[in-house]
Structure formats: structure tokens, C-alpha cells
Amino acid sequence: MSPQERIHELTDKINYYNYQYYQNSISEVDDYTFDTLLEELIGLERQYPEFRRPDTPSLRVGGTVSKEFPTVYHRFPMLSLGNTYSEVELVEFDNRVRKGLNDQPYTYVCELKFDGVALSMTYENGVLVQGATRGDGVRGDDITHNIRTIRTLPLRIHGDKIPPLFEVRGEGFLPLAEFERINKEREDIGEPLLANPRNAASGTFKQQDSAIVAKRRLDCYLYSFLSEPEIFQTHEESLVAMNQWGFNVSPTWRTCRTIQEVMAYIQEWETNRYSLPLATDGIVIKVNRYDQQRELGFTAKSPRWAIAYKYKAQAASTTLNSVSYQVGRTGAVTPVAHLKPVLLAGTVVKRASLHNANEIQRLGVMLNDTVFIEKGGEIIPKVTGVDLAKRTAASVPIDYPTHCPACGTPLVRKEGEAHFYCPNEKSCPPQRQARLEHFIQRRAMNIESLGEGKIELLIDKGLLENPADLYDLTTEKLLGLEKAYTDEESGKIRVVSFREKTVENILTAIERSRQQPFPNVLFALGIRYVGNTTAEKLADYFGSMDELMAAPYETLVNVPEVGPRIAQSIVAWFADPDNQRFVERLRQAGLQFAADRKIVEPESSKLDGKTFLYTGTFAHFSREELEERIQANGGKLLSGVSKKLSYLIVGENAGPSKVDKARKLGVNMIGEQEFIAMIS
Ligand code: IVH
């Protein structure tokens, strides 16, 4: 089979498995087989870029960086909908529809109103060729690269009756679980939290690096089909067909014959919507028949054949009993409202978020006030206001602490930040504990058998001051340790004790953690702003802890995805003598301080006897890929510019020092295209 045929075969096969998985929830192959096929395809496409198909699943993993998004004009304008919060107005809408249709019979389709970002996707000959945002309704941004990362969106569809050119529209969103996961990760590295899933989705779709987009599992529900000429008679038919062709159509829609049936749908989903994987803020009611939609037409802004009914935000009012202050891993102090328990959207709420000191001031809230709380897209309810009519003499101002509630150190506030911080990073107990929890988490050193109260016990007994102490633990030190705790939430007493089996599990996990890869170790250090992705990029770039520690600010800011803020944070972290001692202890403990270099399959001997170094960034390769190509074709990588160097490959934003030195020594400098020509 020729490479081109194999590329075709792999593309079809992988797209088919994706379709089965995302549309029908069937795994026809295990993850390993799937990944192997995908890797083979990526390898072949790299060697034969000319055979890469436009619907290749390899684009799902992202990798394209755009400076800015081109503007695209929508073939059909993207309109918005009239809104209402009232059932009376819905009846009026129904009356207008009846009148507009001169009393012909009609039906509605009800759908949920998904709270995300409106997207429009164009397909030519069944292949996804363009994805765009709504923009101002007439023109939007071309974000095709980012849209391709949505795994449930077919890159190619098959079936009869598919018009050669059509558009599908829908709502792009960040599933709630994914939103929570991202915020957990951000909290972990001291990044400000994303406000709600909608903003998070919209920010993600406008990310310039599609590889980052691919890491956030965006999704999309489709709700319109547009083609000229029209191929369906009703909206209902279009939803059924889109679903059959493999588009992700939420199964929550329903055809209703009367406005009463619409009301029943609204009531049913008022609380049921909280069980959906995404935020919704209402329902959309659409006249079903397209000819009737045409007859009703549009106003200047929105169709007369559709309306959005919005649910009022679920709110309740209750008493603010007290405010507690939590200190996170980075020392940020977060106020939490403790409330008289109240029922809200089906759950009992006892606590709500007050975000930060600014927010308390903005709300003007006092202790013992009656406060309004709301549940929006996010899971934790928030305090949204004060019922001033109910304020009594019992209300007293909230004294925002000036000192850390945990260790008593005076709090500081950095320029432009909404949070106060406890600067006692090293010995403030909650900061210390959070640092340990960060260190043992799965994505770091994976010593999770130490979770749930066991860490507290070790801290209490003075055995864990610093994560490096983990590697000094022994059976003798652990066996028999015991402590009773009162569970804050339930008031129950819980005993944590280290029996033989527990100790064995803990020590095995610690032992195994010595093999955790270098990027995990780097992430585990807990350097502010260095999350998983940044740790991977740093590991890729520097290859070892020593190289990273020696890197000056100027080198760090050149690493992909590392900006001035991260670079500064890394430099400051490694400059601290305590941190240096910590790193040395981890080295003594035998943790992985260097990246595994991949074994590269040979491709040719075109670069035999030649040496290479590169500088800057490249359009077709990551640094890792470039290194792989050099090695696979027989070339050798050098670590600095010298007379021995045959070629310096110069990319965008190349480092001036390397280029200058190469010029002085008369080393050949080539661009990316010349390099590609050398190996193809
Ligand atoms: S139909 C002309 N259906 O709501 C009608 N829109 O204000 C086009 N939306 O921009 C929209 N869920 O982003 C439609 N099931 C649904 C929807 C929905 C959410 C959003 C969409 C649109 C806005 C309309």
C-alpha cells in the first residue's frame, strides 16, 4: 500500500472510531490501538504533508498558532432572539404567531437555551472547511483551527441527500466538569479563577494556540442547519438528520403542539436542567415548519418565528451568620460566607462565595444581614446582594482581617490584585499543607495514598515540614501513628491510624514516585504560575533541572508559552536558598531530574555527518519535532554555536546572540523551508 493510500485508510478509520465513540458511545478499539493508529498517521503526514487530508483527525490535537483571526462574512446573518421572562409574554408571542399564520395549524420545537458561544460551521462536500464566531452577526472571526479541536464535531460526514455546501450552527461550550477541572488546576498554580463556564468557553475559543484549546475539552451542541436550496421542510427534520449524520444534537428537544405543551416543557426543565453537563439559561421556542418561518419573517434584529424564554436566576435569601477566611497554597485569602441553611435549586446551601475583600466592599454586606444568594453557571453559589429592608441594629460591619487567620502574619496586597496574601509562604500551616497536597497529587508525584487526613497527621507529628521529608519516611517512623479528628462538616469524630497495610501502601507509593517523569517533578515543585503545561514546555526546552536552574530570565522568556510573569516567578523561586536546599534534597532522593529523550526511528541518512542547532520558533515543527526530524535523518544536535556547527536553523523570534555568533564564525544559517527541503 502506498503512503497516500495508508493515509487515506488511517484517516477514514480514525474518523470512524471517533464517530462511534462520540456519537454512539461505542469503543470499537482500546485507547492504545487508537493512539497507535493516530501516531502512525501523524508520522506519515509529517513525511508526506502533501497527502494530508482536510478532514484529518490529527488536527484535533491542535498545534496551529494564529496571530490574529481573519474576519469572515456569514453567508446567512447570525441573528439573536427576542427574550422574555414571563409566561404572559409567551402567550402573546403565540397569539402573534397564530395571527401571522392566519390561523393555519402549526407546531413548535422547544430546545434548551445553552449558555455558551454561538458558532457557525461550513461544510463543503461533506468536509468541515470553516468555523467562525458570531461576531456582530454579519461577520465573525475565523477560528477553524480551534473549532477542529471539538471532538464531537465531525470533520467529514457521509450520507445521502447531503448538499454540497451547507452550514450548521450551534452553541460551543465548556462542560461543567471541565470548567471545574480547569479552575482546580488554576487555583493550584495561583492563577485567577475563570468566572463562569460561558466566559471560559468564549476565552478558550479565542485562544491563539490551538494546542491549548485542545487541552480544554470544548464541546458543541448543534441547533440549526442552513443550505440553499433548503432540503428540509421542518426544523424537526433537520435535527433528526443532523443527529444521523453524526452531529452532536442535544436529545433534550421536543415538538409541542400548543403553548400549554411549551409551558409544561419549561416547567420540566426548570430544575432538570441542573443535571445536564452544561450551563443553560432558558429555553428556545421555534416554529417548526420552514415555510411558516418564512411567512412570519424577521424584525430588524430577530426572527418573529422564535423566542427565548429565560429562567430567572435561581435565588434565595438567608442570614449571613459569619465569614471565615481560607488561605490557599499561594497564600491568597478567600472570604467564605457561612449562611443559615437554605434550599436553592434543589440543594441545601450553607456556604457561598464572597470572592475577595473588594467584593465585600462592593456589596456593602454586614454580618447578620439578610443576603441574596444565586446559583449561576458555576457550582458554588455566590452572594449577590443585601436585603437592606431587613437590616436591623444587629448588623455589624465585617472586620476584614489584617493578619493571616492561620499564622498571624500581617497580610499584604499586591498592586492591582483583588486578594490579600499571607506572605509567610514557608511556615503558614494551610500553605504548607496545600503545598504538600500539591506535591502528592496524581499529576505531580502521584502519592495519593497519603490523602484524606493522613497528611495532617504527619504534619501534626512533625514528620512533614517540607515535601522532601516524604523521602525520609520509614516503617519505624510511621507504624502505629494515630490521631482523632473532629470532622468540621458533620461534627463526627474520625480516627486516622497507620496500620501495617496503610504504611506499606504509603511507602510503596513514595518509592514509585521516584520514577515520576521530569515534567511531573517540575510541576510538583509548586512554582507559582508553573502548571502542568508550562512544566512540560520547560522540560522539553531545557531537558534537565540543572539547565533550567541555570537559565537566566532572558532565556526563560523565549520558551514557548512562558511570558515575563512566569519567567520572573521561576527565577525568583530558584534564587531562594531554601528552595535550592529543597531541590537538592529531592535530587538526593533520586527523583527524575532529566527528561527522557525519545528514541527516534531512522528515516533517512540525508543529514549524515551534519550538525545542527536551532533558534526561535517554527511554523511546521515544535522544538521537539524539529529535534526528532534532525535525528531521524542522521543529523546531530549541538548545544551551542561553534565552528563545528554545520547549520543554524533560524526561526521566528530567533535569539540574537546565537545569530550574531553564527555570523561571526561563518556558520551556515538556514530557514525552516530550506531545512524541509534538505530532508524531503
Ligand atoms: S437559535 C435566529 N437555539 O442564543 C435564531 N439559539 O439570542 C438563532 N442559543 O446567539 C439562534 N441555545 O448563541 C438557538 N437552542 C438554541 C440556542 C440558541 C442557545 C444562543 C445562541 C444565539 C442566542 C440567541
Side-chain angles (χ1 to χ4, degrees):
M1 190 183 292
S2 74
Q4 183 173 17
E5 281 163 352
R6 182 65 182 157
I7 287 178
H8 273 305
E9 186 178 68
L10 286 165
T11 306
D12 285 335
K13 215 176 204 162
I14 297 168
N15 281 346
Y16 168 74
Y17 290 144
N18 264 331
Y19 169 78
Q20 287 291 67
Y21 185 79
Y22 288 106
Q23 296 306 318
N24 302 330
S25 303
I26 302 170
S27 296
E28 287 204 6
V29 284
D30 57 79
D31 287 357
Y32 176 77
T33 315
F34 183 89
D35 290 342
T36 315
L37 292 174
L38 186 60
E39 258 170 50
E40 183 188 346
L41 177 63
I42 291 173
L44 281 172
E45 286 179 348
R46 203 177 274 146
Q47 260 182 294
Y48 306 98
E50 64 277 23
F51 299 144
R52 171 188 275 194
R53 269 179 28 185
D55 60 334
T56 173
S58 65
L59 292 172
R60 294 258 197 235
V61 294
T64 316
V65 179
S66 355
K67 285 248 159 56
E68 63 192 27
F69 301 113
T71 299
V72 287
Y73 282 80
H74 298 299
R75 225 168 259 112
F76 312 89
M78 288 182 82
L79 298 166
S80 64
L81 290 169
N83 271 339
T84 175
Y85 287 89
S86 103
E87 301 203 342
V88 175
E89 282 181 18
L90 267 192
V91 174
E92 286 168 10
F93 164 77
D94 183 44
N95 289 337
R96 284 198 301 277
V97 169
R98 184 171 319 104
K99 217 167 134 200
L101 296 176
N102 297 317
D103 290 318
Q104 302 166 49
Y106 58 92
T107 58
Y108 292 116
V109 171
C110 288
E111 291 163 15
L112 278 145
K113 188 165 192 301
F114 310 113
D115 197 10
V117 179
L119 300 174
S120 183
M121 276 66 62
T122 307
Y123 284 74
E124 266 173 36
N125 303 318
V127 177
L128 172 68
V129 292
Q130 187 178 74
T133 61
R134 175 172 185 275
D136 62 6
V138 175
R139 64 209 154 164
D141 288 338
D142 179 341
I143 53 164
T144 312
H145 295 307
N146 290 348
I147 282 180
R148 282 204 175 107
T149 68
I150 303 174
R151 314 239 158 182
T152 61
L153 188 69
L155 299 170
R156 173 190 287 263
I157 61 163
H158 304 272
D160 8 299
K161 258 192 33 172
I162 298 173
L165 178 70
F166 67 86
E167 256 179 79
V168 288
R169 289 181 179 170
E171 201 79 353
F173 63 92
L174 199 61
L176 290 173
E178 188 63 7
F179 172 72
E180 298 283 302
R181 184 191 66 73
I182 294 168
N183 260 352
K184 163 96 204 13
E185 205 169 292
R186 291 174 75 90
E187 190 173 10
D188 231 35
I189 58 167
E191 290 274 13
L193 301 191
L194 306 171
N196 56 53
R198 211 203 73 80
N199 288 2
S202 128
T204 308
F205 277 113
K206 297 209 172 118
Q207 266 283 339
Q208 261 140 17
D209 183 348
S210 62
I212 298 182
V213 182
K215 288 215 166 101
R216 295 185 174 181
R217 300 292 179 111
L218 291 162
D219 206 336
C220 179
Y221 277 149
L222 283 310
Y223 52 62
S224 329
F225 183 93
L226 295 155
S227 67
E228 232 170 29
E230 244 161 23
I231 57 163
F232 301 112
Q233 250 89 63
T234 64
H235 181 54
E236 183 177 3
E237 275 173 35
S238 78
L239 293 176
V240 172
M242 281 196 288
N243 188 49
Q244 273 166 2
W245 288 331
F247 288 105
N248 195 16
V249 176
S250 166
T252 50
W253 64 272
R254 182 188 301 163
T255 311
C256 293
R257 279 164 306 163
T258 61
I259 200 71
Q260 284 69 37
E261 285 185 20
V262 171
M263 303 289 185
Y265 180 89
I266 291 177
Q267 261 147 35
E268 247 179 80
W269 284 103
E270 170 130 35
T271 44
N272 276 352
R273 66 200 179 104
Y274 291 104
S275 60
L276 295 174
L278 80 167
T280 54
D281 59 352
I283 68 156
V284 181
I285 303 139
K286 302 173 180 173
V287 168
N288 196 4
R289 270 168 53 180
Y290 286 158
D291 59 338
Q292 294 183 332
Q293 290 188 359
R294 263 193 308 275
E295 210 168 320
L296 289 162
F298 298 85
T299 68
K301 283 186 303 193
S302 48
R304 289 203 186 86
W305 46 263
I307 192 166
Y309 174 89
K310 299 248 252 178
Y311 291 113
K312 289 179 202 77
Q314 296 258 346
S317 77
T318 184
T319 315
L320 173 63
N321 287 334
S322 63
V323 177
S324 69
Y325 300 88
Q326 285 175 352
V327 185
R329 181 172 72 83
T330 55
V333 176
T334 314
V336 179
H338 294 257
L339 309 163
K340 187 172 153 220
V342 61
L343 199 64
L344 176 64
T347 50
V348 177
V349 176
K350 289 186 258 183
R351 269 184 288 229
S353 168
L354 275 167
H355 302 294
N356 53 51
N358 286 355
E359 182 70 359
I360 292 179
Q361 211 166 29
R362 191 184 71 81
L363 295 167
V365 59
M366 298 204 222
L367 287 182
N368 302 323
D369 268 351
T370 301
V371 292
F372 297 113
I373 57 169
E374 256 178 37
K375 209 172 191 170
E378 50 290 288
I379 306 284
I380 311 156
K382 57 186 176 198
V383 176
T384 54
V386 181
D387 190 347
L388 288 174
K390 291 203 179 143
R391 183 172 276 175
T392 68
S395 291
V396 289
I398 295 167
D399 264 338
Y400 208 85
T402 53
H403 290 72
C404 174
C407 71
T409 307
L411 297 180
V412 294
R413 193 178 207 167
K414 287 171 208 154
E415 195 56 37
E417 293 213 17
H419 279 101
F420 280 96
Y421 285 87
C422 166
N424 180 17
E425 284 164 29
K426 287 178 193 145
S427 34
C428 175
Q431 293 191 58
R432 180 190 290 167
Q433 178 168 334
R435 210 164 36 242
L436 278 157
E437 279 166 2
H438 172 82
F439 190 85
I440 64 167
Q441 63 175 297
R442 199 176 41 79
R443 291 169 301 142
M445 303 312 288
N446 195 13
I447 319 180
E448 288 201 328
S449 48
L450 258 182
E452 286 164 38
K454 299 197 190 78
I455 285 225
E456 284 96 313
L457 176 57
L458 293 178
I459 296 174
D460 279 354
K461 301 287 175 191
L463 289 169
L464 261 191
E465 291 231 328
N466 173 309
D469 295 339
L470 284 168
Y471 297 96
D472 295 338
L473 294 176
T474 57
T475 311
E476 295 73 53
K477 285 185 188 167
L478 296 178
L479 204 58
L481 293 181
E482 194 166 83
K483 193 169 169 169
Y485 291 89
T486 318
D487 188 73
E488 263 183 48
E489 190 85 341
S490 62
K492 285 192 188 128
I493 296 189
R494 217 157 40 95
V495 178
V496 177
S497 67
F498 281 10
R499 294 177 216 287
E500 227 159 282
K501 189 73 203 154
T502 318
V503 171
E504 197 186 306
N505 285 344
I506 294 171
L507 292 177
T508 318
I510 294 176
E511 189 50 43
R512 232 181 317 147
S513 78
R514 292 183 220 255
Q515 296 314 319
Q516 283 294 88
F518 176 50
N520 294 55
V521 176
L522 212 46
F523 171 61
L525 295 181
I527 304 171
R528 195 164 180 202
Y529 307 129
V530 178
N532 281 111
T533 317
T534 310
E536 275 167 28
K537 299 275 167 187
L538 289 167
D540 263 3
Y541 191 96
F542 292 104
S544 73
M545 190 73 86
D546 290 323
E547 293 277 326
L548 171 64
M549 284 170 82
Y553 173 85
E554 293 71 27
T555 312
L556 284 164
V557 280
N558 271 326
V559 179
E561 276 172 59
V562 174
R565 190 184 56 151
I566 303 180
Q568 218 135 43
S569 166
I570 297 170
V571 170
W573 197 90
F574 282 112
D576 181 317
D578 284 335
N579 291 337
Q580 289 167 4
R581 267 191 295 279
F582 171 47
V583 170
E584 278 324 299
R585 285 185 63 197
L586 296 181
R587 190 197 301 273
Q588 293 309 318
L591 303 201
Q592 300 303 311
F593 269 33
D596 291 336
R597 290 285 176 202
K598 271 196 218 143
I599 300 161
V600 184
E601 296 275 338
E603 265 166 28
S604 83
S605 49
K606 290 180 180 144
L607 308 181
D608 267 1
K610 300 195 172 90
T611 60
F612 292 84
L613 179 67
Y614 57 86
T615 173
T617 56
F618 301 91
H620 294 87
F621 311 96
S622 67
R623 285 162 177 274
E624 200 178 89
E625 284 165 354
L626 186 60
E627 289 182 11
E628 267 180 45
R629 294 279 71 67
I630 294 171
Q631 285 164 0
N633 290 287
K636 245 196 176 157
L637 270 160
L638 292 190
S639 59
V641 182
S642 70
K643 276 199 183 137
K644 281 191 234 142
L645 184 64
S646 331
Y647 296 97
L648 178 67
I649 313 174
V650 182
E652 246 183 80
N653 302 319
S657 58
K658 281 188 190 144
V659 174
D660 279 352
K661 193 159 178 198
R663 196 170 289 132
K664 273 189 205 130
L665 296 177
V667 171
N668 281 317
M669 284 190 269
I670 56 172
E672 187 173 4
Q673 288 309 331
E674 286 165 275
F675 173 73
I676 295 174
M678 283 171 91
I679 58 171
S680 51

